Amino acid sequence: MSHTEAEIASQPECWRRAAALVPDVAGVLPRRGERIAVMGCGTSWFIAKAYAALRERAGWGHTDAFPASELPAGRRYDRVLALTRSGTTTEVLRLLAELRGRTPTVAITADPATAVADLADEVLPLAFADERSVVQTRFATTQLALLRAHLGEDIGTAVLDARLALDEELPADLVAAEQFTFLGRGWTIGLAHEAALKMREAARSWTETYPAMEYRHGPIAIAGPGRVVWSLGEPPEGLAQDVARTGATFVRTGRDPMAELIRVQRLAVAIAGANGYDPDRPRNLTRSVVLTEA
């Protein structure tokens, strides 16, 4: 079993542990009513997008999500939340340094013994969800499980759905598909982006991502036999029928979208295996992007 497979399989327990932390860490996380920004890079940015949509939907306050390199200059926030598995990503550290002394910052990380601890005002470690694989799986979803639980959500259903997603056999037609499009609505748009990223990183698959209502506005033109349209969350009315008419496969299970992301992670590993790729070491990637200072 690869490191990636083992880490994927550990997610239900990681989510349960994360939710149990909420009473102890609630004072560190953004408060109800605060105007906040959430930032990260790559996978962490997509998780930031999901959390931002969930927080606003729950009525907790204005919440923006940005790549760490793109926080708008001059925009004021009560708090900035940084998501960073490694604690060493250059863009995240640069932004935390810029905000120091001006805006309160909190960082969620797998390794607090890194530079992020010197730059963020508060650090929330999730060391139990750290990973050996370059490809992020459990750390990303464990962050989101923690943040969902902090918003008052009961993630018990997500945990049960995740166990089902780990046990079921992956359909052969999905493993053999030549192209994937992932769709989301609201908070699951971020998860759709993350699903596509896993397929690119581990399986080198041609993948695209759109808000579900945008799919009919052009992207459906590439749908056809041998291709997959995968909805994370409730699809718009009639979309499944529209996709079926193209000959493409439409995927929607009705489970918690984080559990559905586990199916995508497993599929990415299965496709990698079928093509002789190492999912733990995707080409051209490292665990953290650390840029050389000029």
Side-chain angles (χ1 to χ4, degrees), residues 61 120 157 201 213 224 260 292:
T157 298
E201 289 176 333
M213 288 297 290
E260 194 67 358
T292 302

Side-chain angles (χ1 to χ4, degrees), residues 11-12 14-20 22 47 138-151 153 155 158-159 258:
Q11 286 174 102
C14 285
W15 300 356
R16 187 195 63 77
R17 291 183 64 179
V22 169
I47 298 303
R138 73 179 180 192
F139 185 76
T141 59
T142 299
Q143 288 182 105
L144 190 53
L146 172 72
L147 294 168
R148 289 177 69 181
H150 181 242
L151 293 175
E153 293 191 33
I155 66 162
V159 171
M258 286 203 322

Side-chain angles (χ1 to χ4, degrees), residues 46 49-54 57 183-193 210-213 232-234:
F46 300 146
K49 288 168 69 71
Y51 171 58
L54 283 168
R57 187 182 75 176
L183 307 178
R185 304 179 78 179
W187 74 280
T188 67
I189 293 173
L191 291 191
H193 281 296
Y210 302 96
M213 288 297 290
L232 281 80
E234 188 66 30

Side-chain angles (χ1 to χ4, degrees), residues 39-42 67-71 82 84 88-98 119 288-291 293:
M39 59 91 163
C41 297
S69 59
E70 300 297 330
L71 190 75
T84 170
T88 60
T89 301
T90 296
E91 298 99 302
V92 172
L93 299 181
R94 285 176 178 171
L95 183 54
L96 288 172
E98 291 173 12
L119 295 172
S288 173
V289 176
V290 179
L291 305 176
E293 299 292 342

Side-chain angles (χ1 to χ4, degrees), residues 55-247:
R55 187 174 186 268
E56 289 209 349
R57 187 182 75 176
W60 276 54
H62 184 107
T63 313
D64 291 328
F66 298 103
S69 59
E70 300 297 330
L71 190 75
R75 191 170 294 185
R76 296 289 176 254
Y77 294 99
D78 298 316
R79 194 174 308 273
V80 170
L81 174 63
L83 307 181
T84 170
R85 176 180 66 169
S86 69
T88 60
T89 301
T90 296
E91 298 99 302
V92 172
L93 299 181
R94 285 176 178 171
L95 183 54
L96 288 172
E98 291 173 12
L99 295 173
R100 193 160 180 91
R102 295 193 293 113
T103 304
T105 56
V106 182
I108 301 178
T109 185
D111 186 359
T114 55
V116 71
D118 298 324
L119 295 172
D121 296 316
E122 301 273 4
V123 175
L124 199 167
L126 295 178
F128 64 86
D130 201 359
E131 295 156 327
R132 296 181 65 181
S133 175
V134 169
V135 175
Q136 274 204 62
T137 54
R138 73 179 180 192
F139 185 76
T141 59
T142 299
Q143 288 182 105
L144 190 53
L146 172 72
L147 294 168
R148 289 177 69 181
H150 181 242
L151 293 175
E153 293 191 33
D154 180 358
I155 66 162
T157 298
V159 171
L160 293 175
D161 284 351
R163 290 173 178 149
L164 292 174
L166 288 167
D167 289 340
E168 69 184 11
E169 185 174 351
L170 294 170
D173 62 330
L174 296 186
V175 178
E178 66 169 352
Q179 189 274 336
F180 296 85
T181 299
F182 295 96
L183 307 178
R185 304 179 78 179
W187 74 280
T188 67
I189 293 173
L191 291 191
H193 281 296
E194 172 60 8
L197 182 62
K198 293 308 94 159
M199 295 291 286
R200 295 186 192 106
E201 289 176 333
R204 307 182 195 177
S205 292
W206 170 21
T207 58
E208 300 186 0
T209 314
Y210 302 96
M213 288 297 290
E214 286 295 305
Y215 185 64
R216 296 183 179 97
H217 295 272
I220 197 171
I222 67 165
R227 298 178 180 181
V228 174
V229 179
W230 197 319
S231 179
L232 281 80
E234 188 66 30
E237 184 177 355
L239 184 59
Q241 291 77 13
D242 291 343
V243 170
R245 283 192 285 270
T246 71

